[in-house]
Amino acid sequence: MDQVDPRRLIPRTNDLLALPAVHEARTRLHERVIRELVRHVQEQARCGDLPSGDVEPALLAALASRTATTLRPVLNATGVIVHTNLGRAPLSAGAVDALVTASGYVDVELDLADGSRSRRGAGARAALLAACPAAEDALVVNNGAAALVLATTALAAGREVVVSRGELVEIGAGFRLTDLMESTGARLHEVGTTNRTHLHDYAGALGPDTGCVLKVHPSNFRVDGFTSAVPLDELSRLTVAHGVPLVADLGSGLLAPDPYLPDEPDVASALASGADVVIASGDKLLGGPQAGLLLGRKEIITRLARHPLARAVRADKLALAALEATVAGAAPPVVQALHADVEQLRQRTERLAQALDVPVVAHDGRVGGGGAPGVPLPGWALRLPEKIAGRLRTGDPAVLPRVNDGSCLIDLRCVPAADDDTILDAVRQALATREGAAAGRAG
């Protein structure tokens, strides 16, 4: 009696593609993606890794779990608020709603009253000016580095940018401000030394070939000890006397002073001290989407906005919508995490610790993203076995803990209180998996 080749029992492609669940999946997945999933489960069956009778259930399970993006939501249990590897600032509910609104046709560059073309992102600009009255005008581009490149290009292409040697920083992924500025055709005129720069250093560098003076907040590091730097107000008096624009790159994105971070510079104070243009990021302490903010004198901002490069680095409608909602709306998650009540954090952490029978330890959070380097944010954390960190990261949902000194630490500062029980379930699952693996080895 002839045996039937098991491969002949594998469901045909056309039959699988005709399943009702596949028709439903076409409303959210591209046909190419669906066919790849079909081929994958069929190949598993051909290789003997999947019984032919399980091909259809396997396909349905794969379709149910497959989304149009490979990005996974992560619960940030590190205590680092602006976590670059997690996309920096999580958006507020208002900003998320604004993204949904802006996902369709919107009047991003249109005056609906008369049908004429309007200034792009007028709502975001108005929100920024209302939140920072010291600024005469504002311009939004796609990120902080782009804002610096635009300012340097428009003000100093082919000319000199005067900057202190102590402020020539390297930002994330190995990018250096020196390389960014020199790519615009500007020439750097470095003054002072790594640890000390004086007003006379700047004065000696200014001349007919000076395009602008740049003041950079080092943000992601601190130099202590025998140091000196020139305050913005003193530098402003010098640049005004020489008719040279003064650009201040703050990086972290505070629009106004924050008592929790007394040493962190802010846009309003920098403008009050005489900066002509202030650069900040939208997705750091401001708590909004990735964006580069330029605020300052109307004459200078207009000059930047009219430069051809401004078109290449402009912000899209989604960023503009989310930025406006962040600035005009309720406190975003970044601000809430920064100002979190320490006693409430302790109570939340102790509740989970009691349920898990694990210890609570004091744990300092951090701003992250280059903001307020070295400034501790007192809090608490669950202390768990280090070996479960990987299971938490790869679990569903994914939880990112902090691994330190042989322990896996769960800090709730950046976790919404509504997700506490989700964290609890994730930890229980990770601990159970660890105990099961240990029992299997013992057996």
Side-chain angles (χ1 to χ4, degrees):
M1 182 175 180
D2 295 336
Q3 289 186 339
V4 177
D5 186 339
R7 290 175 296 183
R8 293 182 176 274
L9 301 178
I10 298 173
R12 296 169 58 87
T13 299
N14 288 342
D15 293 337
L16 292 172
L17 292 174
L19 293 171
V22 174
H23 282 295
E24 185 279 330
R26 289 189 175 97
T27 63
R28 55 188 178 81
L29 295 175
H30 195 279
E31 184 71 19
R32 179 189 68 257
V33 175
I34 293 174
R35 287 178 177 272
E36 287 175 354
L37 293 175
V38 169
R39 284 194 293 269
H40 177 68
V41 295
Q42 288 176 326
E43 187 59 31
Q44 284 184 304
R46 293 188 186 101
C47 295
D49 296 332
L50 183 71
S52 58
D54 290 344
V55 167
E56 182 176 323
L59 174 61
L60 299 184
L63 289 171
S65 62
R66 185 68 159 86
T67 61
T69 177
T70 57
L71 291 174
R72 292 185 61 195
V74 177
L75 288 172
N76 177 12
T78 64
V80 178
I81 299 175
V82 182
H83 200 302
T84 298
N85 301 123
L86 295 181
R88 292 186 175 167
L91 295 180
S92 65
V96 172
D97 289 342
L99 283 176
V100 175
T101 299
S103 63
Y105 293 119
V106 289
D107 56 343
V108 66
E109 211 167 323
L110 178 70
D111 186 333
L112 291 174
D114 60 15
S116 63
R117 186 170 186 167
S118 64
R119 181 170 179 173
R120 184 180 183 85
R125 172 180 171 271
L128 285 170
L129 295 180
C132 188
E136 296 178 2
D137 204 352
L139 177 65
V140 181
V141 295
N142 56 21
N143 63 25
L148 178 60
V149 168
L150 176 59
T152 305
T153 303
L155 300 176
R159 304 178 71 191
E160 290 184 345
V161 176
V162 178
V163 60
S164 169
R165 287 187 175 91
E167 299 172 1
L168 297 177
V169 302
E170 180 178 296
I171 56 179
F175 290 100
R176 296 177 174 176
L177 295 190
T178 51
D179 297 336
L180 286 174
M181 289 183 285
E182 288 176 339
S183 72
T184 70
R187 301 189 306 276
L188 297 186
H189 189 144
E190 302 173 18
V191 299
T193 63
T194 302
N195 61 318
R196 291 177 69 82
T197 302
H198 305 279
L199 187 62
H200 62 77
D201 293 318
Y202 288 101
L206 298 183
D209 209 25
T210 303
C212 68
V213 173
L214 176 64
K215 181 76 172 170
V216 181
H217 177 57
S219 68
N220 56 1
F221 72 96
R222 293 189 304 178
V223 178
D224 296 320
F226 189 59
T227 64
S228 68
V230 181
L232 269 175
D233 55 352
E234 293 184 22
L235 198 51
S236 172
R237 288 191 287 271
L238 177 67
T239 56
V240 168
H242 287 76
V244 174
L246 174 57
V247 179
D249 188 346
L250 304 189
S252 64
L254 280 181
L255 292 184
D258 190 309
Y260 275 58
L261 304 173
D263 297 326
E264 190 70 10
D266 65 276
V267 175
S269 298
L271 290 172
S273 295
D276 296 302
V277 179
V278 179
I279 296 171
S281 294
D283 56 351
K284 294 184 180 180
L285 284 172
L286 184 64
Q290 177 177 294
L293 315 180
L294 299 113
L295 299 99
R297 285 175 46 203
K298 188 172 184 62
E299 173 193 354
I300 301 294
I301 297 298
T302 299
R303 183 175 169 185
L304 303 185
R306 289 177 177 171
H307 192 279
L309 183 60
R311 171 76 180 197
V313 298
R314 74 179 187 178
D316 76 323
K317 62 178 183 177
L318 299 178
L320 292 170
L323 178 64
E324 179 184 358
T326 299
V327 176
V334 161
V335 175
Q336 294 178 31
L338 177 63
H339 294 255
D341 184 275
V342 178
E343 178 59 22
Q344 290 184 4
L345 288 176
R346 184 185 64 79
Q347 292 175 4
R348 291 171 57 196
T349 307
E350 287 184 345
R351 184 179 77 84
L352 298 192
Q354 290 172 3
L356 295 166
D357 193 23
V358 298
V360 172
V361 296
H363 182 253
D364 290 338
R366 290 290 187 271
V367 170
V375 176
L377 303 175
W380 306 90
L382 302 172
R383 189 174 68 191
L384 302 164
E386 181 180 4
K387 291 184 178 180
I388 74 164
R391 297 185 183 93
L392 288 170
R393 291 194 301 268
T394 57
D396 186 16
V399 177
L400 183 65
R402 183 187 177 205
V403 177
N404 182 61
D405 196 24
S407 297
C408 172
L409 302 176
I410 300 290
D411 188 319
L412 299 179
R413 177 178 292 274
C414 305
V415 177
D419 287 326
D420 282 1
D421 287 339
T422 302
I423 290 281
L424 180 60
D425 291 341
V427 173
R428 280 174 170 160
Q429 183 176 352
L431 289 171
T433 303
R434 175 175 178 266
E435 292 169 358
R441 288 193 299 271

